[in-house]
Amino acid sequence: CGPLEGKLKKLAADLGIDDRVKFPGHVSQSELLQYYADCEFFVLPSTFRSEAFGIVQLEAFQAGKAVISADLPSGVPYVNQDGKTGIVVPPGDVRALNEAVKALHGDPERRLRLGKAGRERAISDFSAEEMVKRTFALYSPRA
């Protein structure tokens, strides 16, 4: 899970939620797909610009899940469009993140609508075929 695993496990225990929080470590592709299928929505709470794109957002979109992400100065908010495919919150704003989680948790219709739009976006804008087409267009000589 990374260098914070011990601290996060202790925090979960201290909060009394360790029976509901999993730290699975490395998972197979089929296990990963099952995690996406089982969740209500996906949260990418990154606060650093080094999170350049957030491929995991596209994985969540492919599973039809709405995404909550941060408005980083990177490609993350380009992928997850606020109000269209999910909710984008200010980075590091715990209150805004909490409100976004509560909003999606309490509104199944909104989750489904955003998740459907995310899936459509993943297919139309980020499919292998679309990415190849855009790359060729970028490098093709212009008339």
Side-chain angles (χ1 to χ4, degrees):
C1 283
L4 296 178
E5 181 177 359
K7 288 181 180 180
L8 292 173
K9 284 182 175 179
K10 182 179 181 326
L11 178 61
D14 291 347
L15 293 172
I17 60 171
D18 54 329
D19 61 327
R20 294 175 285 163
V21 177
K22 295 181 183 181
F23 296 90
H26 184 272
V27 297
S28 69
Q29 184 66 21
S30 62
E31 289 171 310
L32 178 63
L33 294 175
Q34 190 60 54
Y35 279 120
Y36 282 121
D38 290 345
C39 72
E40 289 183 359
F41 51 88
F42 182 79
V43 181
L44 178 63
S46 296
T47 58
F48 297 105
R49 184 178 182 197
S50 58
E51 185 71 65
F53 187 78
I55 291 288
V56 292
Q57 296 181 110
L58 294 178
E59 293 173 345
F61 287 167
Q62 283 290 345
K65 302 301 177 174
V67 170
I68 298 171
S69 62
D71 190 13
L72 299 171
S74 69
V76 171
Y78 170 74
V79 174
N80 183 31
Q81 298 176 328
D82 190 42
K84 294 181 181 176
T85 59
I87 299 173
V88 178
V89 299
D93 188 335
V94 175
R95 181 168 282 133
L97 182 62
N98 182 42
E99 290 302 315
V101 167
K102 286 197 277 187
L104 285 187
H105 177 67
D107 193 342
E109 290 179 21
R110 184 178 183 193
R111 285 196 313 265
L112 289 173
R113 179 175 40 80
L114 295 172
K116 181 180 177 190
R119 181 161 171 70
E120 291 169 0
R121 178 161 167 70
I123 292 167
S124 68
D125 294 353
F126 297 103
S127 67
E129 295 81 14
E130 184 61 27
M131 299 303 282
V132 167
K133 182 175 121 183
R134 287 184 188 173
T135 300
F136 276 113
L138 181 66
Y139 288 100
S140 295
R142 305 210 189 268

